[in-house]
Amino acid sequence: MNIETIIKYLNALIPISITILGTYIAYQQWITNERKRKQELFELRRKYIYSKSLELLHSAPSIAKSIINDNLTEESIFVKYAKYYAEYNFLLKTKDSQNLEKFYMDTTIAISNIASGGMDNYDKNVKDYEEKTKDLLKANLNKIVEKYLRIEK
């Protein structure tokens, strides 16, 4: 084989090499963008669904107290949560979104149960909520959002 034949073969390999390199770079860029997309979805779900749901759950006694004292404002997490749910429920699958709505309704019932006894039974009702209902609601919430808060997949 002479030098001219070798040069022709090498020249024929250049476009193939460039194509393979370009494909590899495009694939790596796609992987990077996919990771970024998953990270951004994770952040939105964590910030506007999980964190706000936990805030609602932990604020139930103070929300009930505000209801009893008739000073529930639009700044309350109880009022804001409906807005967050309406704006960000599309980040979840339909079934999970419905389960999150059920979580909100169950939390509303728990708040109502605390407030129903008035200030006379407030401490007792809060204690019942803390001992029985809160952990159950938190477990339900974790079951709904757990798969969305794992970005390592």
Side-chain angles (χ1 to χ4, degrees), residues 27-90:
Y27 176 73
Q28 290 300 315
Q29 186 66 37
W30 179 79
I31 293 291
T32 301
N33 288 338
E34 188 64 17
R35 285 184 185 142
K36 183 179 178 193
R37 182 186 70 83
K38 285 182 179 182
Q39 180 66 34
E40 288 171 354
L41 283 172
F42 167 83
E43 289 297 327
L44 285 172
R45 289 171 177 146
R46 184 196 55 77
K47 183 176 181 181
Y48 292 107
I49 294 175
Y50 186 67
S51 294
K52 297 302 179 186
S53 297
L54 279 180
E55 186 179 348
L56 176 68
L57 191 63
H58 294 303
S59 300
S62 63
I63 293 167
K65 187 180 266 187
S66 296
I67 291 171
I68 292 169
N69 295 329
D70 198 29
N71 64 355
L72 188 67
T73 67
E74 289 188 23
E75 295 303 311
S76 167
I77 183 62
F78 186 64
V79 176
K80 286 183 176 181
Y81 187 82
K83 176 185 170 198
Y84 290 127
Y85 172 77
E87 286 185 31
Y88 296 101
N89 72 344
F90 73 92

Side-chain angles (χ1 to χ4, degrees), residues 7-144:
I7 291 175
K8 285 181 184 178
Y9 282 125
L10 290 175
N11 283 338
L13 289 176
I14 289 174
I16 294 170
S17 300
I18 291 172
T19 302
I20 291 172
L21 182 62
T23 302
Y24 175 75
I25 291 170
Y27 176 73
Q28 290 300 315
Q29 186 66 37
W30 179 79
I31 293 291
T32 301
N33 288 338
E34 188 64 17
R35 285 184 185 142
K36 183 179 178 193
R37 182 186 70 83
K38 285 182 179 182
Q39 180 66 34
E40 288 171 354
L41 283 172
F42 167 83
E43 289 297 327
L44 285 172
R45 289 171 177 146
R46 184 196 55 77
K47 183 176 181 181
Y48 292 107
I49 294 175
Y50 186 67
S51 294
K52 297 302 179 186
S53 297
L54 279 180
E55 186 179 348
L56 176 68
L57 191 63
H58 294 303
S59 300
S62 63
I63 293 167
K65 187 180 266 187
S66 296
I67 291 171
I68 292 169
N69 295 329
D70 198 29
N71 64 355
L72 188 67
T73 67
E74 289 188 23
E75 295 303 311
S76 167
I77 183 62
F78 186 64
V79 176
K80 286 183 176 181
Y81 187 82
K83 176 185 170 198
Y84 290 127
Y85 172 77
E87 286 185 31
Y88 296 101
N89 72 344
F90 73 92
L91 294 171
L92 304 176
K93 292 180 181 174
T94 304
K95 177 105 172 108
D96 294 324
S97 180
Q98 291 167 348
N99 289 337
L100 190 64
E101 187 172 350
K102 184 179 180 329
F103 164 82
Y104 178 66
M105 299 316 278
D106 291 344
T107 306
T108 303
I109 291 168
I111 292 168
S112 175
N113 290 341
I114 295 170
S116 67
M119 286 308 288
D120 297 337
N121 295 322
Y122 176 77
D123 291 333
K124 177 189 167 297
N125 289 345
V126 168
K127 184 178 178 186
D128 287 345
Y129 169 76
E130 296 285 342
E131 290 176 354
K132 299 174 185 172
T133 312
K134 187 176 181 181
D135 289 337
L136 181 62
L137 287 172
K138 188 173 181 182
N140 289 343
L141 174 64
N142 287 337
K143 196 183 316 180
I144 295 166

